Amino acid sequence: MKSAASLRIVMAQLNLLVGDVVGNTRRVIECCHRARDKMDAQAIVFPELTLTGYPPEDLLLRPVLYTRVREGLEHIRKEVTGIHVIVGHPYQVRDDLFNAATVLRDGEILGRYRKQHLPNYSVFDEKRYFAPGKSATIVEIGGVSIGVTICEDLWMLGPVQQAVDSGAQLIVNLNASPFHVGKGGEREDVARDRIKESGVPVLYVNLVGGQDQLVFDGGSFAMDGSGSLVQRAPSCIEDLVPVDILPGKTLQFQPGKLAEQPGELEAIYNVLVLGVKDYIEKNGFPGAVIGLSGGIDSALTLTIAVDAIGRQRVAAVMMPSRYTADMSLEDARQQAKSLGVEYSELSIEPAVGAFRDILADTFSGLSADVTEENIQARCRGVILMAISNKKHKILLTTGNKSELAVGYATLYGDMAGGFAPLKDVPKTLVYRLAEYRNRFEVVIPRRVLERPPTAELAPDQKDEDSLPPYHTLDAILERYVELDQSIDEVIKAGFDEAVVQQVTAMVDRNEYKRSQAPPGVRITRRAFGRDRRYPITSGFNKSR
């Protein structure tokens, strides 16, 4: 219950659509009215770049975007009264563009802050578009002097201290902070550091939702002047969170709901589900199709898809060949039945036979090799893409990060598709996530978790015929890909030199495959694509 003397600020943790300025403006107005009328709030704070969504990337280079943003702000100014609104948007001043936040009340602009620290690392590319701001913005709401900052500004002492020196009693931080493993705790630690240095509490308002490869996991929070959490919004869902503050020389926060910080596997799984859901929904697909093999990767991908959009919208297709084991067929059928998805079996043998006949003269005198294996994978890709085209369902690929790293995948075969849920998930983590999901309902057969992984493209084939054991492979990949260690450093860490040479050579020569891979959910600090950008043509390791 709100005290008559307290200031209630609502943290608006929203899932927005990049580029939909009209729709995002409508959401802002609806939330403002709800916060004012249903929650008795005096102020509401929205995430970073709310009106455009984040990241808008090269949409920021289109002049018409700023016309729409100005119209959106004007619409908010006219439609919202009786509540302070702090909303993020791009702001153009002559030839400069700023990542800004505007404070509105009853049709008046009370202040406008320009983000000072522009991240230009990892997935961030803000210096490509924005100029840095230089000064603090302080507004008084309900007897409290509030300093407005945006995202990266909180990770540096300067902007917070600047606001405090200008009289701020409370820092409000607008964010579009994407997920990676452990990110929730990092954000809270950073806010606690700023509070310790400045003595001023923080409201941290974060975006939620999937945007191409990025997933914003929410977790907005309020932290008092001692660095204690007084409220935390849940992860991976939208929420309007009221924070009650008693004004005075020292601000007093009334305790509110403190959503539990999810554990590692729960956080990752929820982010994968949200990323798949939003990619499908925001791009307007009526459903998804998946090639189900009886193996662990396709089993987990199917489960994620069902959790994301519902079983009635997911189709699984098993495409056996002469090398497909009976257990693979049995396990695929069992999982499809457990999840209640549409299921079909389409043999690739006629298609493979046709290619064999077509290429017989061309291949005459040449021994069989990986070419014949790839033809099988490409036949499956053609079938799945045909179903995707005909039924307008997105094809979800099933490959994991370990395979993509070393090129253990067929270009235009099992790599064909529109989105890759497991693109940033190492093989060993695939197993852990499958076990995690089975705790709630056994949907992945036990045998799938226990049998040796195989592509089933040749007689008695096992992944370890071509690769080191996955626990060894993933450990090497972590050092070489995630931590950017040199080959010599990886060897010195205790790994067999020949194995390290094999793995790193495979990583290097398969950059061309990764450059053609579909987007997928980012869960680590070093995902292929936005995080890790290497040249395809390179002699870097030839000179070590």
Side-chain angles (χ1 to χ4, degrees):
M1 188 71 177
K2 177 179 177 290
S3 165
S6 67
L7 167 65
R8 174 167 287 180
I9 302 175
V10 168
M11 300 188 295
Q13 180 172 290
L14 298 187
N15 188 340
L16 303 161
L17 178 57
V18 164
D20 185 13
V21 178
V22 173
N24 294 339
T25 298
R26 188 182 308 117
R27 293 292 312 281
V28 167
I29 293 171
E30 290 169 353
C31 290
C32 289
H33 290 163
R34 182 180 167 196
R36 180 194 64 195
D37 300 337
K38 304 295 185 184
M39 306 175 77
D40 195 25
Q42 284 80 54
I44 183 168
V45 185
F46 293 91
E48 179 179 10
L49 292 184
T50 286
L51 296 189
T52 58
Y54 192 96
E57 300 184 281
D58 278 10
L59 290 176
L60 291 166
L61 303 180
R62 291 186 171 270
V64 70
L65 182 73
Y66 305 105
T67 301
R68 295 176 185 175
V69 168
R70 286 192 296 271
E71 290 171 349
L73 282 171
E74 182 66 12
H75 197 40
I76 296 168
R77 193 178 67 81
K78 290 180 178 179
E79 294 293 326
V80 179
T81 60
I83 187 170
H84 286 78
V85 182
I86 304 177
V87 61
H89 60 89
Y91 177 60
Q92 194 172 35
V93 181
R94 293 180 291 276
D95 293 332
D96 287 330
L97 179 64
F98 298 95
N99 183 338
T102 293
V103 186
L104 300 160
R105 169 78 191 215
D106 295 333
E108 293 186 32
I109 295 177
L110 304 182
R112 181 172 281 135
Y113 177 75
R114 303 171 187 184
K115 185 175 182 179
Q116 299 187 47
H117 287 282
L118 303 173
N120 220 64
Y121 56 87
S122 184
V123 301
F124 303 106
D125 202 15
E126 292 199 17
K127 290 183 180 179
R128 175 177 172 86
Y129 310 104
F130 298 115
K134 297 179 180 178
S135 58
T137 295
I138 310 296
V139 293
E140 185 174 316
I141 304 176
V144 176
S145 292
I146 296 175
V148 180
T149 59
I150 299 176
C151 205
E152 192 81 0
D153 291 331
L154 190 70
W155 295 70
M156 311 292 175
L157 176 59
V160 171
Q161 192 59 54
Q162 183 187 55
V164 172
D165 291 343
S166 299
Q169 299 172 278
L170 170 68
I171 298 297
V172 167
N173 190 246
L174 290 68
N175 290 270
S177 177
F179 174 86
H180 63 239
V181 177
K183 188 67 172 288
E186 291 175 23
R187 298 179 190 125
E188 293 176 8
D189 288 344
V190 165
R192 199 168 281 114
D193 288 343
R194 296 294 85 77
I195 290 169
K196 183 178 179 181
E197 293 160 351
S198 67
V200 172
V202 169
L203 293 191
Y204 184 101
V205 184
N206 196 24
L207 186 67
V208 70
Q211 172 58 34
D212 295 342
Q213 298 175 73
L214 303 181
V215 176
F216 302 90
D217 55 320
S220 304
F221 59 85
M223 196 173 280
D224 67 18
S226 69
S228 298
L229 275 172
V230 291
Q231 281 185 264
R232 183 195 289 128
S235 297
C236 292
I237 62 172
E238 288 192 314
D239 204 4
L240 295 183
V241 182
V243 180
D244 291 331
I245 305 167
L246 290 173
K249 188 173 182 180
T250 301
L251 301 183
Q252 301 295 318
F253 285 73
Q254 295 184 4
K257 292 182 180 179
L258 201 61
E260 186 175 349
Q261 189 84 271
E264 180 181 292
L265 292 179
E266 179 185 2
I268 294 170
Y269 191 83
N270 289 344
V271 162
L272 292 172
V273 169
L274 179 58
V276 170
K277 179 179 187 296
D278 277 359
Y279 194 86
I280 292 173
E281 302 288 13
K282 291 179 179 180
N283 285 294
F285 290 102
V289 60
I290 295 161
L292 194 60
S293 68
I296 187 66
D297 297 318
S298 64
L300 181 60
T301 302
L302 182 65
T303 305
I304 289 169
V306 168
D307 288 344
I309 62 172
R311 64 188 65 193
Q312 71 281 359
R313 296 174 62 190
V314 179
V317 184
M318 175 58 159
M319 296 163 288
S321 74
R322 67 182 65 186
Y323 303 119
T324 301
D326 288 342
M327 72 171 73
S328 297
L329 282 163
E330 292 164 3
D331 290 342
R333 291 167 186 160
Q334 181 182 336
Q335 192 192 8
K337 183 178 180 181
S338 298
L339 288 168
V341 300
E342 175 188 334
Y343 176 74
S344 57
E345 292 180 5
L346 304 174
S347 173
I348 64 169
E349 279 302 309
V352 173
F355 275 105
R356 189 183 302 117
D357 292 342
I358 291 169
L359 294 166
D361 290 342
T362 302
F363 287 179
S364 178
L366 301 174
S367 59
D369 56 16
V370 71
T371 305
E372 284 74 17
E373 296 182 23
N374 287 340
I375 287 172
Q376 296 171 66
R378 288 177 178 134
C379 286
R380 291 186 172 115
V382 168
I383 291 169
L384 289 169
M385 283 305 304
I387 294 171
S388 173
N389 289 163
K390 184 63 70 174
K391 297 189 175 182
H392 311 295
K393 293 183 175 182
I394 187 172
L395 173 57
L396 300 180
T397 66
T398 61
N400 60 66
K401 188 173 189 176
S402 306
E403 294 170 346
L404 192 61
V406 296
Y408 193 64
T410 303
L411 198 59
Y412 321 123
D414 54 317
M415 287 179 66
F419 198 67
L422 305 183
K423 183 177 181 178
D424 200 30
V425 182
K427 184 76 169 191
T428 49
L429 181 55
V430 168
Y431 282 99
R432 293 173 61 209
L433 288 169
E435 294 278 16
Y436 165 79
R437 180 58 178 82
N438 269 2
R439 293 180 204 167
F440 307 99
E441 177 189 13
V442 179
V443 292
I444 299 175
R446 190 77 236 158
R447 188 164 58 183
V448 173
L449 287 156
E450 294 174 349
R451 66 183 291 201
T454 171
E456 292 191 320
L457 296 173
D460 300 318
Q461 186 181 48
K462 301 290 185 294
D463 287 5
E464 289 188 13
D465 296 339
S466 305
L467 302 173
Y470 277 112
H471 63 87
T472 300
L473 176 63
D474 283 354
I476 293 172
L477 291 174
E478 181 180 16
R479 291 178 177 275
Y480 189 63
V481 173
E482 308 283 339
L483 302 179
D484 282 323
Q485 290 185 358
S486 69
I487 293 173
D488 291 337
E489 287 175 317
V490 178
I491 294 169
K492 287 178 183 177
F495 295 94
D496 180 82
E497 181 173 356
V499 174
V500 173
Q501 294 281 13
Q502 175 198 7
V503 170
T504 55
M506 293 173 80
V507 172
D508 292 348
R509 71 171 173 260
N510 282 288
E511 196 66 48
Y512 78 101
K513 283 189 182 181
R514 290 188 291 274
S515 71
Q516 300 178 68
V521 180
R522 172 187 185 263
I523 65 165
T524 71
R525 294 174 178 271
R526 206 79 165 104
F528 292 124
R530 293 183 66 95
D531 285 295
R532 189 179 187 276
R533 312 174 198 179
Y534 272 67
I536 295 172
T537 306
S538 170
F540 179 73
N541 279 324
K542 292 180 180 179
S543 57
R544 59 178 283 271

